[in-house]
Amino acid sequence: MKHRIVVLGAGYSGAHAASRIARRLRREDVEVTLVNAEPDFVERVRLHQIAAGQDLLVHRLDELFAGTGVRLRIDRVTGLDVEDKKVATETGELRYDTLIYSLGSFGRTPEGTYSVADYPGALRLRKRLSSLGDGERVPVVGGGLTGLEAATEIAETRPGLAVTLATAGELGDWLAPGARRHLRQVVAKLGITLEENRVVDPGETGATTVWCTGFTASTLAEGTALETDADGRIKVDETMQSTSHPDVYAIGDSACAPGPRGQVSLMRCGAGVPQAWQAAGAITARLTGRKPRCLPLGYVHQAISLGRKESLIQFVTWDDRPRRGFLTGRAGAHYKELVCRFAVNAIRWPQRMPGRRRAVTTTPALDGDQVHT
């Protein structure tokens, strides 16, 4: 009987994990099923572009995974029983031997506001912006990466709108001094009204307020026996294996994973993709009688789009502290575009790389049994 691997969610983390596992294990030994509510792969890091009215290339999941052996199931997950090893969906249920939980996160959006945290929210904001005339206000709440990208994209695409950006602290206060100065210059050049040190109450919002103050993990795991943190993220070890259920792995925004220097990993694409690679490697190793190799997970940069002509690439230390070096202007925009393209193309690449698929053993090794070579 084939070993059943079910991946929940085809965002960046889930799609990367499914692709790499399918490439490394023999198809006659495993059955990899990828469950996603929608048929298209959503480039979440580009949703501000969708909201601003730009038309982007659509990546269909069936095309991304054509010929890989991954079975796609376009369905919505409604429940999870980790004791009986089954997943409930709108159209039935799935049983698994190994589960990869990658259901991501959603934006904390008060009623009456708009969001760029998911595709339906970006489309809703796009429709609203298209109905606005010059001079109408578009307040953006939240000065983090999402808020910065939304405000600058809207201001550049629709220069006639009165875009404001409210941030609870100083603009870019986590950046290196030079990068912070450049950010201020770009915001001023785009005509964005900056409101610093301002905490906005949801009751103060206007008719077209874009809320970008953070994300919350999917709540599905909270109703299960899985060990989770206060935010509902599944607690995992350095191989992304659940600390309470060894047949479950969690990656991306769904995972409370150990980061550099004992920190908890951030909800960020730059963390989720390496976590997917880590989980795929660990699952492959354990199923083929080898010891997983744990690669240290850390950070390299913060890549922030500031419209189509500008970007700010803040290089950071392994534990996410700003370095002095950064990229701006066209060079930064080109860098950010390469990052976005890599995140999609790397889903296809494992299937096109030379190598052999390994056989699944009947008695997977424990971590202390054999060194991974």
Side-chain angles (χ1 to χ4, degrees):
M1 183 176 178
K2 291 185 177 182
H3 187 93
R4 299 163 298 184
I5 301 174
V6 174
V7 184
L8 303 183
Y12 290 104
S13 299
H16 276 264
S19 176
R20 291 174 83 88
I21 288 174
R23 178 65 185 88
R24 295 178 176 187
L25 296 173
R26 296 196 315 181
R27 294 182 185 179
E28 56 266 38
D29 292 342
V30 297
E31 179 180 273
V32 182
T33 302
L34 179 59
V35 185
N36 199 60
E38 302 296 335
D40 299 329
F41 175 80
V42 175
E43 292 188 83
R44 196 175 191 181
V45 295
R46 293 189 188 271
L47 288 178
H48 54 281
Q49 295 178 243
I50 297 288
Q54 298 166 32
D55 296 320
L56 304 179
L57 179 66
V58 175
H59 303 281
R60 290 190 56 85
L61 288 170
D62 56 0
E63 294 175 357
L64 280 176
F65 287 95
T68 65
V70 174
R71 297 175 56 195
L72 285 175
R73 178 162 174 161
I74 307 305
D75 207 346
R76 190 174 299 278
V77 178
T78 58
L80 174 61
D81 185 343
V82 293
E83 303 301 332
D84 201 24
K85 296 187 180 183
K86 64 182 181 182
V87 177
T89 70
E90 288 184 344
T91 64
E93 71 174 31
L94 280 168
R95 293 197 170 269
Y96 66 83
D97 299 301
T98 297
L99 179 74
I100 302 178
Y101 185 107
S102 183
L103 291 177
S105 61
F106 56 91
R108 296 192 291 262
T109 310
E111 186 176 354
T113 64
Y114 291 83
S115 169
V116 291
D118 54 48
Y119 189 65
L123 289 179
R124 179 170 168 263
L125 177 57
R126 178 191 182 108
K127 182 177 180 180
R128 173 63 181 173
L129 292 175
S130 68
S131 71
L132 300 180
D134 287 353
E136 296 198 59
R137 293 183 67 249
V138 180
V140 179
V141 180
L145 274 62
T146 304
L148 284 172
E149 293 190 327
T152 53
E153 200 75 53
I154 294 169
E156 181 185 89
T157 306
R158 296 288 307 277
L161 296 176
V163 179
T164 63
L165 177 62
T167 176
E170 299 289 331
L171 181 68
D173 53 11
W174 71 93
L175 299 169
R180 198 179 310 165
R181 287 193 296 271
H182 180 78
L183 177 60
R184 287 183 176 278
Q185 292 170 1
V186 173
V187 167
K189 182 179 179 181
L190 290 172
I192 298 170
T193 300
L194 183 60
E195 300 176 353
E196 296 179 281
N197 300 307
R198 182 179 174 217
V199 178
V200 179
D201 185 275
E204 302 176 45
T205 59
T208 315
T209 298
V210 186
W211 202 270
C212 307
T213 61
F215 297 89
T216 300
S218 169
T219 57
L220 185 69
E222 293 181 344
T224 72
L226 288 164
E227 186 178 9
T228 60
D229 69 359
D231 296 321
R233 298 198 289 172
I234 298 172
K235 292 185 178 181
V236 297
D237 63 16
E238 64 274 9
T239 68
M240 313 310 298
Q241 187 178 46
S242 165
T243 54
S244 61
H245 292 72
D247 47 12
V248 175
Y249 291 74
I251 53 179
D253 290 355
S254 302
C256 176
R261 299 182 187 273
Q263 301 170 346
V264 174
S265 63
L266 301 173
M267 288 187 179
R268 188 184 297 174
C269 178
V273 172
Q275 289 175 5
W277 298 346
Q278 189 90 297
I283 291 169
T284 300
R286 289 181 172 126
L287 291 180
T288 56
R290 297 173 300 142
K291 180 182 178 180
R293 179 175 56 191
C294 295
L295 301 175
L297 298 178
Y299 307 97
V300 177
H301 58 230
Q302 294 179 11
I304 312 168
S305 293
L306 300 174
R308 294 300 86 209
K309 301 174 184 178
E310 269 278 5
S311 188
L312 175 58
I313 312 299
Q314 173 67 73
F315 296 106
V316 298
T317 61
W318 199 241
D319 57 349
D320 206 36
R321 291 174 295 164
R323 297 183 185 274
R324 293 179 63 182
F326 58 92
L327 280 179
T328 63
R330 292 286 186 180
H334 183 63
Y335 185 108
K336 177 62 185 287
E337 181 63 23
L338 290 177
V339 169
C340 293
R341 292 185 184 184
F342 170 82
V344 178
N345 291 332
I347 297 170
R348 301 185 180 97
W349 289 341
Q351 310 303 324
R352 300 176 182 177
M353 293 170 62
R356 68 182 180 90
R357 291 181 171 86
R358 295 182 179 272
V360 172
T361 66
T362 56
T363 56
L366 297 176
D367 285 359
D369 288 351
Q370 186 176 342
V371 176
H372 180 186
T373 58

